[in-house]
Amino acid sequence: QVQLVESGGGLVQAGGSLRLSCAASGSIFSINAMGWYRQAPGKQRELVATITSGGRTNYADSVKGRFTISRDNAKNTLYLQMNSLKPEDTAVYYCTAGAFLMVAGGRGSWGQGTQVTVSS
C-alpha cells in the first residue's frame, strides 16, 4: 500500500505560479511511475502529467510548456511546477503512484487532493 500526501495548492491570479508537492510513503518499492491528475467541477478527472522512475515525462497538451513534473527519488517526493496559470487550470489536483500502466490509466494509488484556484 502506498500513501500519498499532496500540498502546495492555493489561490493565485492568472499568470501566476504554484508548486505542488506529493510525499509518498509505504510500499515505495512498488512505485515505478508517478503523476498528477486534476478534476474541475462537473468534469471528469484528467491526466496532467506523468513521470517514470527513469525520468521520462509526459504532459497533457493543455499544460505543455507551462507545467513541469519532477521527482526527488531520495525524498520519495513528486513535484508539479505550474507557471502561467490560467483560470481553466482551476481544479482539485491529485497525486498518483504505482506501476506505469496503472498510473497512465488512472488506476494507481491516490492522494487526497489539493485545491488550485486561479482567478482572472
Side-chain angles (χ1 to χ4, degrees):
Q1 193 82 341
V2 175
Q3 290 79 47
L4 302 168
V5 179
E6 302 101 331
S7 60
L11 173 64
V12 63
Q13 287 189 329
S17 299
L18 281 175
R19 189 174 84 151
L20 305 182
S21 298
C22 173
S25 61
S27 302
I28 304 298
F29 62 88
S30 67
I31 298 174
N32 61 35
M34 299 184 77
W36 293 96
Y37 281 69
R38 66 186 181 186
Q39 187 167 20
K43 295 188 176 181
Q44 288 191 329
R45 192 172 296 189
E46 63 175 2
L47 175 69
V48 175
T50 61
I51 185 168
T52 68
S53 56
R56 186 174 63 187
T57 59
N58 180 57
Y59 295 93
D61 287 343
S62 59
V63 306
K64 280 181 181 176
R66 299 189 298 121
F67 291 11
T68 302
I69 190 170
S70 62
R71 62 191 288 180
D72 185 332
N73 291 328
K75 295 182 179 180
N76 297 319
T77 301
L78 178 72
Y79 303 99
L80 185 68
Q81 178 66 44
M82 305 185 293
N83 299 327
S84 302
L85 282 161
K86 304 176 181 180
E88 51 264 43
D89 295 318
T90 295
V92 177
Y93 283 70
Y94 296 91
C95 173
T96 184
F100 175 74
L101 289 179
M102 298 289 281
V103 169
R107 292 176 286 114
S109 298
W110 295 99
Q112 82 286 354
T114 185
Q115 177 71 46
V116 172
T117 303
V118 184
S119 63
S120 57

